[in-house]
Amino acid sequence: SGSALGTGGTAVTTPITWRSLAPTSATVSGSGTVTGVIPGSAMVVASAGGKADTVEVQVYGALQAITVSIDRPVIKSSDTTRVRATGRDLGGRIVPITPEWSVSDPTVAIVAPNGLVLGLRYNANTPIFASVNGITGFATVAVIPSEVKSVAIRPDTATISLGTTFLLRPTVIDEFDVEVTDRTVVWTSTNTD
């Protein structure tokens, strides 16, 4: 619906006349309710007191396909990228959608409802799916290992008696300051005697 505004922005009782410039695509009622007829676009005009305003109305058909794009198809573990989904009708017109996101292997990457993808561990080709009412599209992400920033041993000092054992635990931090557990740690001793 619309309202006519007078000087100073106050509403006035001037009647509003509505019309569609493309009634084969969209019609408009006397109260401003627009109804889509066939896919396409239509300009809808509201007139009151010799003044008018126009709005473009896009009419789209039923969702037929989803295309998924990815900002960066190769990311490191602990890094992020974003996926976006575009819905289209039979004529190729964009259909607004809010997809449900999923990933084929959630141990490789996870995807948030807003399309943010977090890489977890190495995998060369993992599909990320966008679905709406049984219609699905996908893009793939490759996750490569992040660089190791530091390795720390806990505890940092140890005293043991002859012939006994003691377990040391490594903590590996990657370039994103995230502790990673999928790295091979190689142990050496400066005095094997």
Side-chain angles (χ1 to χ4, degrees), residues 67-87:
T67 303
V68 177
S69 62
I70 187 165
D71 288 355
R72 291 183 302 126
V74 178
I75 61 172
K76 294 180 178 182
S77 57
S78 305
D79 197 7
T80 60
T81 188
R82 186 168 298 278
V83 286
R84 292 173 176 78
T86 304

Side-chain angles (χ1 to χ4, degrees), residues 5 29 118 141 145 190:
L5 300 178
S29 72
L118 172 65
V141 65
T190 59

